[in-house]
Amino acid sequence: MTIPALRFDRAHDDAGRLDPAFGAALCDALHEVGFLRLTGFGAAPGQVAELFAAATAFFDLPLDRRLALDNRESPHFRGYTRLGHEITAGRPDAREQIDFGPEQPPRPRAEWDQEYRLLEGPNRWPDDTVPQLRARAHAWAELMSTVAGTLTRALAAGLGLPADHFDPIFAGEPHWFGKVIRYVGPAHGEEPAPDAQGVGPHADWGFLTLLLQDPHGPVAGLQARPPGSGWVDVPPAEDSLVVNVGEMLEVATDGYLVATPHRVLACGPGATRQSVGFFWSPRLDARLDPVPLPAELAARAPGVHETAQNALLPTFGDNALKGWVRSHPEVAVRHHPHLAGAARDPGTAESVQ
């Protein structure tokens, strides 16, 4: 099985209207495979190279300088996660990263209407060592928000809904988040452990994921497992994004659009590989109930794929908080001990790439 490819610059017709053919192809790809490759998405000349250069500059800092942004110091799960300290499918991942989201002041606990408000807060950036990373990461997030917004409207139209059907859940402050990631192999001369993983098998818990892979990294890395298939390689490609469905969109379409499981293979000895993930998600308080699908699509919607260990929660903030607690148990135990029971259950760990 191959990953379908679409050109984003064909999402609109000559009059600037959404092209129905693009929306139909987008829905078909995300129904059949749950993954696609997107080209022509409008990055400025040099933007991708400059973003990766800033990421490399950060990851090449001595560990103590990176740990100045230690996410364990952030009750909002923001900042730097050192190698082996994010958990997926119950095991540590061979990656390090910076997690970031919309720049927000922390909301005092007395003002919380729901527990997931603890996810609102400031980012942690290396402004004293790699000051360009903040601006380049936020410029990337702004571009990805524009692309993801168009994809969201094209998906709605392709599902037989008004193009603006999902607009209300993203109005105001959508709770997107980003990851600047480096996967790290063992030292030269050492073999990876038999159970080593870049990221373990998981499904993303947002709405849509837009992943930028370093086109100059190792070919082996990201793999997807589409419905009825084994693991399929999704290698890096120049000037392209990988787009996949998150759990919230699977919930909204009763499984017609599938949050396909995926994983990242561990790097070989002495190798590293970078990527930048952008996870397009609605407001924390947004609830995604199943949409009214046309009869022919509803007949092909198998329902959501959930287990006793990973219930898919219709309110995005609840689903997001579940994911953060499980993938960063140290943060949960340190700052939110009342959530520590879920954080300590490795058998239910989920993560995002």
Side-chain angles (χ1 to χ4, degrees):
M1 177 180 290
T2 59
I3 303 301
L6 287 177
R7 291 187 61 92
F8 181 75
D9 52 8
R10 296 178 181 169
H12 296 92
D13 61 22
D14 292 341
R17 297 168 300 206
L18 282 172
D19 186 339
F22 179 87
L26 181 63
C27 284
D28 285 347
L30 296 183
H31 169 69
E32 298 291 343
V33 182
F35 267 70
L36 62 89
R37 192 179 298 283
L38 192 70
T39 59
F41 57 89
Q47 184 174 9
V48 169
E50 290 173 357
L51 177 58
F52 277 126
T56 299
F58 173 76
F59 290 126
D60 285 348
L61 291 172
L63 179 60
D64 64 327
R65 304 302 295 273
R66 285 173 274 155
L67 282 174
L69 309 180
D70 194 340
N71 77 323
R72 292 174 296 183
E73 301 298 326
S74 168
H76 318 292
F77 299 88
R78 307 284 181 97
Y80 172 69
T81 301
R82 67 185 299 180
L83 184 66
H85 282 249
E86 178 156 0
I87 305 299
T88 309
R91 302 205 313 271
D93 298 329
R95 58 170 165 167
E96 55 181 336
Q97 67 207 20
I98 289 181
D99 289 299
F100 68 101
E103 294 283 1
Q104 298 170 315
R107 185 186 293 245
R109 181 181 290 269
E111 296 179 9
W112 293 358
D113 56 344
Q114 296 291 336
E115 195 78 21
Y116 52 65
R117 295 299 179 189
L118 66 86
L119 299 175
E120 297 176 331
N123 295 312
R124 312 193 80 200
W125 294 110
D127 292 334
D128 58 339
T129 51
V130 189
Q132 66 273 28
L133 182 56
R134 178 200 290 257
R136 292 176 185 177
H138 275 296
W140 186 254
E142 183 175 353
L143 173 62
M144 292 299 96
S145 294
T146 299
V147 173
T150 296
L151 293 178
T152 299
R153 289 186 285 276
L155 279 171
L159 293 169
L161 305 167
D164 63 357
H165 177 86
F166 293 114
D167 284 6
I169 65 172
F170 290 95
E173 296 184 339
H175 197 78
W176 58 264
F177 62 97
K179 284 181 177 283
V180 180
I181 307 165
R182 180 165 74 171
Y183 301 97
V184 182
H188 284 291
E190 297 182 5
E191 289 300 317
D195 62 349
Q197 60 185 28
V199 182
H202 68 282
D204 297 338
W205 32 260
F207 193 85
L208 281 173
T209 299
L210 285 69
L211 177 71
L212 177 68
Q213 298 172 289
D214 182 354
H216 305 296
V219 172
L222 176 62
Q223 293 185 324
R225 191 174 63 203
S229 173
W231 290 105
V232 177
D233 287 329
V234 189
E238 198 85 32
D239 300 322
S240 73
L241 300 171
V242 175
V243 178
N244 63 274
V245 173
E247 290 176 342
M248 300 313 295
L249 187 50
E250 179 172 321
V251 167
T253 61
D254 198 32
Y256 179 77
L257 301 180
V258 58
T260 297
H262 49 286
R263 66 185 182 186
V264 179
L265 302 179
C267 289
T272 62
R273 178 174 178 267
Q274 292 188 160
S275 65
V276 180
F278 178 81
F279 303 88
W280 178 237
S281 303
R283 293 189 318 278
L284 287 170
D285 63 358
R287 181 181 176 91
L288 281 88
D289 294 313
V291 301
L293 293 174
E296 64 272 20
L297 301 187
R300 298 163 61 196
V304 298
H305 297 82
E306 59 183 344
T307 66
Q309 292 76 31
N310 185 41
L312 303 191
L313 308 176
T315 299
F316 173 64
D318 294 333
N319 214 48
L321 182 58
K322 174 195 69 175
W324 284 114
V325 166
R326 291 177 177 176
S327 56
H328 293 277
E330 292 173 294
V331 177
V333 170
R334 178 176 296 191
H335 296 283
H336 312 293
H338 59 296
L339 302 176
R344 291 195 181 102
D345 183 358
T348 62
E350 295 294 327
S351 183
V352 291
Q353 181 172 285

